[in-house]
Amino acid sequence: MKRVAVVAVTALAVATLVAPAQARQPDKVAESQAEYVVLYKEGATGARQAVEAAGGTIVKENTAVGVATVTTTNAGFAAAARSSSAIEGVVHNRPIGSVPDSARASAAVRKAIEARAVEKEGHGARASGERGTPGRGAEPLAELQWDMKQIRATADGAHRYQQGRKDVLVGVLDTGVDGSHPDIAPNFNAALSRNFTLDIPVDANGAEVDGPCEAEPDRSCEDPADVDENDHGTHVASSIASPVNRLGVAGVAPKVSIVNLRAGQDSGYFFLQPSVDALTYAGDHGIDVVNMSYYIDPWLFNCTDNPADSAADRAEQATVIKAAQRALDYAHRRGVTLVAAAGNQAADYTKTYTDTGSPNFASVPGEAPYERTIPPSCVSMPAEAENVISVSSLGVSKRKSYFSSYGNGFVDVSAPGGDVYDTPDNTRDVTKATLSAYPESLARARGELNADGTPNVDYVVRDCNGSVCGYYQYLQGTSMAAPRAAGVAALIVSRFGQHDRRHGGRTLAPAVVEAALKASATRTSCPDPRAFTYTRHLPNGTTVTATHVCEGSRLRNGFYGFGTVDALRAVR
C-alpha cells in the first residue's frame, strides 16, 4: 500500500458529480484561497445555502453521498460551516496557489517518501535473472512469479478452469494505470476509466508535492486517465489482470477488464474527495471489484476523541470516517466488492499504537506531523471500514511479511505481497518481492535503462515478444497483497456471477463474493510460538529484530485472517 501504510457513506441520490463530471481545472486564484471538502448532513436541507453563507463557493458536488468541494478566501469558513445544522463536517482538501521557484520537499513529503520505501526495500539486490523456463501455457516470466504459485493462480492451477471474463470489471483506485503497457493494454477499459484527481503543485508550507503543472507534457494539472506517473497503480493493475499473451507475466484473473479509477496523486497521497468520487462512480457504472491499496490522507488513523488532537482536527477526522463510509456503503449496495491493503506499519491494529507521521500533508501553513497515542477505537480508512475486505501480506515461505500490519478481527484474508528478507539467512533478496508491470516511461526517466533499452538495475526486468517489449519491477507491500485477493474475487464473480440487468456484464452480491473468498481460503494457524521474531540483516551491516504476536485460532487469526486466498479452490 502507498507509503505503505496506506496502507489509502448512506446514499442521498443517484451518484452525480456536478460541474464537472471529473476533476476540475484550477483557475488562477490568489494564494490565500483554500479548498475544503464539505459533508452534508443526511436528510437535511439548506446545505448549499450554508456553504454560501459561510463564504464558500461550490466547485464540485457529489450528490450520491452529499459531499461538495468548496473554495473560499474566508479564514473562518470551516468554523462557520460546521455551525450549520445542515453540515455534518468540513475537511481541509488542499491549498490553492502556484509553485514558488524555490520550493523544496518538506518534512511531510520526505516522510511520505521514506514510508513508501518499504515497497522498494529490495532494490539494489541481485536478481537471479530475467527469464525462467515457463511450463506449458505459462507466460515467459512465470517462474519468477512465486506469488502466483502460492495462491495457485497459474496455468496448471486456477487458469485451467477460469481466467476471468472480459465483462467483469475491476476498478483500480490508485495513482493511475499505464493503459499503454503491452501487458495491460489488452485488458484496459479506456472508455470507463476516469481520473478523479488534480495534480497539487505545493502544500500549504510551499513545499513541492506533485510539482509544477507546467512541467506536465500538456501543461495541465489534470492527467489523462491512462497514465501513471508514480508506478504504484500500474503494478497493482498488472497483478490483477495482466493477460496471457506470451509476454511477461500473467495476473490472477488474466481475462477480466481493468478500469482505472484514479484517486491518488503522482506523489502517492490519497485524499478524501477523489476516493469518494471514485467509489460512487464504481457503484454507478457496474464495477464488480475495487482494489484500494492505500489509506486516506492526511491521517493514518482517524480518531474522534483523541486528547492529543485539537478540536478542529478531531472534527476533521470524524468527517473523513463518515464521508468515506458513506461512499463505501454506496458502492457496496450497488454490487461492488471492496478490497483494501492492511497497511505496512508492522502494527497490530487491535492494540494501542504510536503514530508519529500524521498529519502527513500540510493543508494549512505550519501544519506538521506530531506524535499521537492511537487507541484501537481509531480507524484507518478504508482498511478498517465496514464491508471492506482487509488483506495482510505474506512472503515466499508463507510467513506474514515483516512489514505487514495485522490484528485478530482486523485482517480478513492474507495473500502474497512479498518479503525480501524471507530468506534462509535473513539477508535481502529482491526476487522475494513480487514482479508486475512497470511503465517504460518511468524506467527511462529514472535512468534505469541503458541506451539499448536493457535494464541497468537488478529490480527491473524486461521481456520481449518480437518487437514488443514490456518492463516489470519487483515491489513488496500489503499494496501488492490486496490486488491478489482482488483478483481472486474477480475470478469468483466470473465463475458464479449472473447477468447484470442494469449495466450488462456480470454481477454477484459483494457479501457472496466475500463469503466465497473466505470459504475458499487455506486455513493457516498462528506460528509456534505465537510470538514470531523477525530478523533482518540490512545491506549496511545493521541487524534489526522485531517480534509480532499472533492471536486467534486456525479458523481466524491476526496474521492470516480466515486464511490465504486460493484461486484454484475459489473457482472449482
Side-chain angles (χ1 to χ4, degrees), residues 118-136:
V118 68
E119 292 182 346
K120 299 192 177 184
E121 176 92 50
H123 288 193
R126 171 61 60 181
S128 60
E130 288 196 357
R131 298 177 72 104
T133 303
R136 184 177 180 180

Side-chain angles (χ1 to χ4, degrees), residues 80-426:
R82 289 189 187 110
S83 67
S84 169
S85 61
I87 301 298
E88 185 76 45
V90 180
V91 178
H92 277 289
N93 198 31
R94 66 183 184 93
I96 301 176
S98 58
V99 171
D101 292 337
S102 60
R104 292 181 294 177
S106 66
V109 175
R110 286 197 300 273
K111 179 167 285 293
I113 294 169
E114 290 164 2
R116 279 201 302 271
V118 68
E119 292 182 346
K120 299 192 177 184
E121 176 92 50
H123 288 193
R126 171 61 60 181
S128 60
E130 288 196 357
R131 298 177 72 104
T133 303
R136 184 177 180 180
E139 292 294 83
L141 300 181
E143 286 304 305
L144 303 182
Q145 292 185 279
W146 61 265
D147 49 302
M148 297 301 176
K149 296 175 186 177
Q150 189 176 102
I151 62 172
R152 301 199 287 181
T154 58
D156 59 355
H159 296 169
R160 291 177 59 193
Y161 307 96
Q162 182 61 252
Q163 295 186 17
R165 294 171 54 105
K166 193 173 186 64
D167 56 0
V168 171
L169 308 176
V170 181
V172 177
L173 276 68
D174 217 290
T175 60
V177 175
D178 178 6
S180 68
H181 193 289
D183 222 0
I184 289 177
N187 289 338
F188 185 72
N189 188 320
L192 283 177
S193 292
R194 297 290 186 273
N195 176 13
F196 297 98
T197 71
L198 287 174
D199 287 348
I200 300 174
V202 295
D203 68 11
N205 291 328
E208 184 171 325
V209 180
D210 296 324
C213 297
E214 292 76 13
E216 295 291 321
D218 61 355
R219 303 179 65 81
S220 166
C221 277
E222 184 176 357
D223 295 329
D226 61 352
V227 302
D228 177 12
E229 296 179 348
N230 178 286
D231 75 21
H232 192 272
T234 296
H235 199 279
V236 165
S238 169
S239 302
I240 296 168
S242 273
V244 175
N245 59 350
R246 299 183 181 179
L247 179 71
V249 301
V252 178
K255 288 188 177 180
V256 302
S257 294
I258 288 293
V259 181
N260 175 25
L261 301 179
R262 179 173 165 178
Q265 305 297 134
D266 292 338
S267 52
Y269 288 105
F270 291 76
F271 296 112
L272 178 61
Q273 181 80 59
S275 294
V276 167
D277 291 345
L279 286 164
T280 54
Y281 180 91
D284 285 340
H285 290 82
I287 306 300
D288 296 289
V289 181
V290 298
N291 186 86
M292 301 172 288
S293 288
Y294 66 92
Y295 66 83
I296 295 175
D297 294 297
W299 305 95
L300 169 57
F301 291 96
N302 296 276
C303 309
T304 59
D305 57 359
N306 194 325
D309 300 329
S310 68
D313 283 344
R314 289 196 295 269
E316 179 173 292
Q317 292 168 66
T319 302
V320 171
I321 296 170
K322 292 173 184 176
Q325 191 63 61
R326 278 193 200 176
L328 291 162
D329 289 346
Y330 184 91
H332 190 263
R333 286 196 303 271
R334 284 158 178 77
V336 183
T337 297
L338 308 165
V339 180
N344 301 341
Q345 297 78 32
D348 186 339
Y349 274 28
T350 68
K351 303 291 188 292
T352 299
Y353 175 75
T354 300
D355 176 22
T356 60
S358 301
N360 62 9
F361 181 84
S363 299
V364 295
E367 191 168 35
Y370 56 91
E371 183 173 309
R372 305 190 299 159
T373 298
I374 305 296
S377 58
C378 301
V379 294
S380 186
M381 300 295 283
E384 291 190 280
E386 296 175 12
N387 298 318
V388 173
I389 301 167
S390 183
V391 187
S392 65
S393 173
L394 307 181
V396 66
S397 72
K398 301 183 182 180
R399 77 179 194 184
K400 184 188 75 67
S401 304
Y402 74 89
F403 52 78
S404 179
S405 291
Y406 56 103
N408 191 27
F410 163 53
V411 171
D412 291 301
V413 292
S414 56
D419 182 341
V420 297
Y421 291 97
D422 189 4
T423 60
D425 58 0
N426 299 311

